[in-house]
Structure formats: C-alpha cells, structure tokens
Amino acid sequence: MFDSELFLEALPVLLKAFVEVTLVVTVLGSLLAAVLGLVWAIALRELPAAIGRPLRWVLDFIRMTPLPVHLLVVYYAFTQISPKTVGILVIGIHYSTYMAESYRSGIDSIRSGQWEAATALSLPRSRTWRAVILPQAIRNTLPSLGNWAIAMFKDTPFLIFISVPEMVTAARVFGGRNFSYIEAMTVAGLLFLLASYPTAVLMQKLEKKLAY
Amino acid sequence: MPTDSTPTTEAATSTDPAPRIEFEDVEKKFGKTTVLKDLNFTIGRGERVTLIGPSGSGKTTILRLLMTLEDLTDGYIWVDGDPLTHDRRDGKRVELKPKQIAQVRKRIGMVFQQFNLFPNMSVLDNITEAPIHVLGQSKDEAKENALTLLDRVGLRNRADAHPTQLSGGQQQRVAIARALAMDPEILLLDEVTSALDPELVGDVLGVLEDVAETTDITMLIVTHEMQFARDVSQRVMMFDGGQIVEEAPPEEMFTRPKNERTQKFLEAII
Ligand SMILES: Nc1ncnc2c1ncn2[C@@H]1O[C@H](COP(=O)(O)OP(=O)(O)O)[C@@H](O)[C@H]1O
Ligand SMILES: [Mg+2]
C-alpha cells in the first residue's frame, strides 16, 4: 500500500516546490501583508471619514470575499505579470486586510492615557505613533500576525487556481506520474506541519521575549 | 480681551502683563450635557491655585481644556495673552491651526492621576523623549537634565528601570520629572496622589512642595489633600456644577468658608 521508496523519491521533488513557491510566497506575502496591514490600520485612524470610510469598504470587501476569486481575477486581468508574482501580491493584499484588523485591536488596546500623555508633552503625532503607540500595539499584535502568516501558508495550495506549481500541485503531478498519490501527499502534509509547528513555537517565544 | 502678543518670558517686571491663564466665557458640553458655562477666571504668573469641589463639578474638565485634551465648545482660553485654541479676530471666534496650538501648548505640562508613563521606555527615555523630539535638545543635554530631575525626585538610581518595575509613588515622581523636563510655565496636577497607596502619598507631595518652593511655575492643582493645598497654594477655588462658588486664600477657605456648599463639602472630606 504505502511505498516507502516512492516516499523518499517524492521528498526532494516536493521540497524544491516547497522552498521555491510555498515558502517564497508565504514569506514575501507575509511581509507585504504586515506592512500594508499596518498602513491600513493607521490610515483608518488618521484619515478623515471622507477617505477613511471608502477605504474601510474596500478592505471589508476584500476580507469577505474568497481568496481563489481574487487570484483568478487578477491572474486574468494582468496576464503580463508572472503567476507567482500575482500570487504574492494577491495573497499579501488579501491577508493585509486581516492583519489590519489585528493591528487595529492592538492599537485600540492602548489606553487613552498614553495618547494624552503624548499630547501633554507636545509630541508630534508622527512621533507619538512611532515611539509610543506602535511599539506597544505591535507587541500586542504580534501573536495574531504570526497566526495569520501560518494561515496564509496553509492557503498557498489555492495557487493551483492560477497554475503556480506550488507543493500540492507538485505532489499531484508526482502522484499521477507514479500511479500512487498517498506518498507524495504525505510528504506535502509533513512539510506543512514541519514548517507551521516551529513557526508557532517561535511566535510564542517571541511573544514572551517582548513582554516587559 | 488680550490680543497683543506680549513677550511670554517671565514678565514680573514688565508693566501690567497679561495673566498667565485666563478663561473667558468658557463653555464645555459633552454631547447635550453642559459641564461648564460662562466660566471666567484668571490665574496670575507664578500663582498656585487649588481647585476643590465635589466629584463631577468640572475640575478635571478645566485642566483637560487647558491641556487641549478636550475641545472648547465656546469661549476663549488665553495663556500669557496668547490664544490657546481659539482667537478673536474682528469680533469673531476663530479656531487656531494645530501648529499654532502646539506652540502655546508647549508651555503647559500635566501630571495625571494614573501617571501614564510610557511602559515601552525606560525611566530615562520617558523623561528625555519630549525634550529631544519637541525642544530639539541633544541626547546628552536631555540626559543630563533628566538625571538632575531624577535626583530631585529621589530616583536617580532608577534611571534604567522600566515603569512597570516601579511602585505607584515612584512612577508618579517620574511623571513629575517628565513634565518638568519640558520646562513648563504652567503645571497641571489632577489628583496626582489619588491612585496611590496612602504610605506613598507623602513622597509625591514632598516633591511637589519642593517644586512649588524652588520654581515660579504656575500651578493648577486638583487635590483632596487639604494640608498640601494649604502649604502650596495661594488661592483655593471651590467649584460646584461647573461654577466657582467661592474663592479665597487657603487659611480663610479652610477655616472660615462663607458659602454653605463649601462648608458642607469641607465637612464631608476633612
Ligand atoms: N468624556 C466625557 N463624556 C461625557 N461626560 C463627561 C466626560 N468627561 C466628563 N464628563 C462629565 O463632566 C462633568 C464634570 O466632570 P469632571 O470634570 O471630571 O469633574 P471632576 O473632575 O470635578 O470630578 C461630570 O458630570 C462628568 O460626568
Ligand atoms: Mg476629576
């Protein structure tokens, strides 16, 4: 039933797809999402309602519609961009809307006294964000950002919709060629687990380290 | 009233300087609730005034208006004759731009009941943050000043500690040092010992008494510590329902209050 030779054969093939696509998309996508999410969260607090409200609609719309749909729309709309780049951009933007919510609750959790003390010291708004609010808010937000990055990682198989050869696609191809899917899929599952679990542990460690 | 911009430095010698603080027909509403109405008073340069009155009488609101933490609904607040948030031009009330507001606000410092130190910064950084980024002091200069101030509040050896490692009384002394580091002309103190364990109150009041003795900072103090009010302030204003119901020097106010509401209030808290 389970062919351990096939298993060992699948390993390097899938590992390559894992590193080249899954990992690259997740790392770059997470960075994009973390930066954009912060921009959205600050913009929603600082911009006048005339701009802030439409921005909120757009973000809500993105967050509440499925990722594969976004992937397909952008894939067909921008055929000149490589599918992998489309994947990074779309996944990054999609997850930035979730991360924006995490940042927002992190920012909201800062007591008003912190803002007031900054005002009483005449700190400029930008300095208040940078030196007072964000260091505290991001510390509160980090665990949640880590969870979104892991969720993103698990969403990378959606790249199959836009023909990016990510790991699960590679496992399917490998399985088809060898008339047995279980070995390659097991490898894929293990690789996901091997990457997610240490990340989760790392996030917890980081969280503890950041506590003051 | 005052429209000419008199120099804002110590003007004890100049002729008839504008008062340090003037509230003119101040009105403050929260939604539909009017908290302050037609409030008028002045505070002289270097004067130290204690605000007393029952909870909800508007004392905190007055301090927060001065610190620009609340928006004025109507009227004017003048600081050394300069408009704080609204100016009068051709008889019209005009809101100032944030930059202009920031200029006058720099002369005012505040210490809060809950300290509000920045927990992500060391004690030293809490104190040097604004001098460096608002006053443009060099890091060395700001640090030296901060250490001098920490000496003054008896916490020089805690410069590298984080606020969470300090007792409430120590945190409040750091908050006082932080406010003083901006070299304010006006210091607002809102029940700064109310959140402290009783045994920690004395140190904080001691620091403030020292500040009162050794500087000519104008102080607006909200406190329930009547002995402290007596020791440091030249005038006590009794508020009720957003109105000044009585004002007098502390000895007079505390021994022979004229107004019935003042009498009742003082009886209740002493
Ligand atoms: N942010 C606010 N929103 C609504 N009402 C407020 C707010 N702040 C203060 N008030 C009301 O204003 C009145 C005066 O409050 P405050 O200035 O805090 O009084 P005090 O400091 O003398 O106890 C109270 O009735 C209080 O409920
Ligand atoms: Mg109060």
Side-chain angles (χ1 to χ4, degrees):
Chain A
M1 187 73 209
F2 190 93
D3 184 341
S4 55
E5 235 162 75
L6 262 188
F7 178 86
L8 290 176
E9 211 176 297
L11 199 58
V13 179
L14 295 202
L15 199 58
K16 185 163 178 285
F18 177 75
V19 172
E20 281 177 0
V21 180
T22 307
L23 222 51
V24 168
V25 170
T26 306
V27 169
L28 294 182
S30 298
L31 287 176
L32 181 64
V35 172
L36 278 182
L38 182 59
V39 171
W40 306 145
I42 296 175
L44 286 174
R45 257 194 103 115
E46 290 292 304
L47 292 176
I51 317 170
R53 199 164 313 130
L55 175 63
R56 162 136 303 165
W57 291 335
V58 172
L59 295 179
D60 285 348
F61 176 79
I62 295 176
R63 203 177 50 240
M64 288 166 184
T65 47
L67 178 58
V69 176
H70 300 161
L71 284 169
L72 285 171
V73 168
V74 178
Y75 177 62
Y76 286 118
F78 300 93
T79 45
Q80 67 276 31
I81 308 178
S82 85
K84 192 161 128 187
T85 309
V86 168
I88 292 168
L89 292 177
V90 169
I91 291 183
I93 291 170
H94 187 82
Y95 271 88
S96 76
T97 63
Y98 290 106
M99 290 195 184
E101 286 300 301
S102 301
Y103 282 119
R104 188 168 69 118
S105 63
I107 292 165
D108 288 349
S109 72
I110 306 300
R111 282 179 300 118
S112 60
Q114 294 289 299
W115 291 98
E116 292 175 356
T119 301
L121 292 167
S122 291
L123 284 185
R125 193 82 176 166
S126 58
R127 185 68 200 167
T128 303
W129 275 108
R130 210 150 59 83
V132 178
I133 303 301
L134 290 182
Q136 300 181 55
I138 290 179
R139 178 181 152 264
N140 295 345
T141 311
L142 224 51
S144 161
L145 296 187
N147 286 333
W148 286 125
I150 292 170
M152 176 191 288
F153 178 66
K154 291 191 290 184
D155 265 359
T156 50
F158 281 136
L159 291 171
I160 198 169
F161 286 99
I162 57 169
S163 320
V164 179
E166 53 71 54
M167 184 172 53
V168 177
T169 313
R172 217 163 48 113
V173 171
F174 185 92
R177 227 186 302 123
N178 295 287
F179 308 107
S180 176
Y181 289 93
I182 183 141
E183 295 80 8
M185 288 301 171
T186 308
V187 172
L190 281 175
L191 285 178
F192 268 115
L193 184 68
L194 279 177
S196 308
Y197 186 69
T199 310
V201 173
L202 211 72
M203 289 311 302
Q204 275 176 1
K205 283 229 168 99
L206 191 63
E207 204 182 323
K208 280 214 188 89
K209 204 169 161 204
L210 283 166
Y212 29 69
Chain B
M1 195 195 276
T3 41
D4 60 322
S5 48
T6 40
T8 58
T9 43
E10 292 317 309
T13 51
S14 82
T15 52
D16 192 23
R20 178 118 295 162
I21 301 167
E22 177 169 4
F23 273 52
E24 183 188 347
D25 299 331
V26 164
E27 180 181 297
K28 174 62 190 171
K29 291 184 183 174
F30 288 105
K32 289 197 174 129
T33 331
T34 303
V35 173
L36 304 174
K37 191 162 170 54
D38 299 326
L39 181 62
N40 289 278
F41 66 83
T42 59
I43 309 278
R45 300 187 173 211
E47 197 182 4
R48 294 184 296 272
V49 177
T50 296
L51 280 54
I52 60 171
S55 171
S57 59
K59 309 178 298 291
T60 295
T61 303
I62 288 166
L63 264 49
R64 290 173 61 85
L65 283 169
L66 260 168
M67 199 64 259
T68 70
L69 297 173
E70 301 287 354
D71 292 323
L72 201 56
T73 314
D74 201 2
Y76 303 86
I77 297 175
W78 310 95
V79 174
D80 298 320
D82 296 327
L84 179 67
T85 56
H86 294 79
D87 197 3
R88 182 162 31 226
R89 294 192 196 127
D90 305 325
K92 281 213 195 76
R93 190 167 171 271
V94 194
E95 187 167 3
L96 299 180
K97 300 210 171 66
K99 278 228 170 86
Q100 297 170 293
I101 294 174
Q103 280 310 313
V104 180
R105 182 172 50 208
K106 271 186 218 171
R107 305 176 203 159
I108 307 172
M110 183 159 182
V111 182
F112 301 86
Q113 187 175 340
Q114 298 296 338
F115 334 132
N116 296 341
L117 293 179
F118 304 133
N120 56 312
M121 298 181 197
S122 70
V123 163
L124 188 70
D125 289 345
N126 262 278
I127 302 173
T128 59
E129 172 66 26
I132 292 171
H133 294 279
V134 180
L135 302 181
Q137 288 180 9
S138 73
K139 280 191 180 150
D140 289 341
E141 188 186 0
K143 184 175 171 183
E144 203 181 306
N145 289 341
L147 290 175
T148 310
L149 284 166
L150 279 174
D151 239 348
R152 212 159 135 194
V153 302
L155 289 169
R156 193 187 175 107
N157 58 342
R158 305 310 309 270
D160 295 322
H162 271 256
T164 46
Q165 299 165 326
L166 304 182
S167 73
Q170 290 172 327
Q171 288 189 54
Q172 194 59 298
R173 278 141 67 197
V174 173
I176 294 167
R178 180 173 73 171
L180 291 176
M182 290 296 283
D183 203 10
E185 292 174 358
I186 299 167
L187 188 60
L188 309 173
L189 305 166
D190 191 8
E191 299 198 30
V192 297
T193 57
S194 295
L196 300 179
D197 293 335
E199 73 271 18
L200 303 176
V201 169
D203 284 343
V204 172
L205 294 183
V207 164
L208 290 173
E209 276 163 21
D210 171 63
V211 172
E213 262 170 42
T214 56
T215 71
D216 51 11
I217 299 175
T218 304
M219 290 165 81
L220 243 63
I221 305 160
V222 177
T223 184
H224 299 302
E225 302 285 340
M226 292 305 146
Q227 188 55 48
F228 171 66
R230 218 180 248 247
D231 291 344
V232 298
S233 52
Q234 291 117 2
R235 177 155 57 121
V236 178
M237 299 202 286
M238 164 76 192
F239 281 84
D240 196 14
Q243 296 288 325
I244 302 170
V245 297
E246 183 171 359
E247 57 181 317
E251 318 80 58
E252 203 177 311
M253 184 72 112
F254 295 142
T255 49
R256 303 179 297 279
K258 293 193 183 67
N259 186 287
E260 197 185 327
R261 277 180 287 178
T262 315
Q263 290 163 4
K264 281 215 175 99
F265 173 75
L266 289 174
E267 269 167 32
I269 64 162
I270 291 173

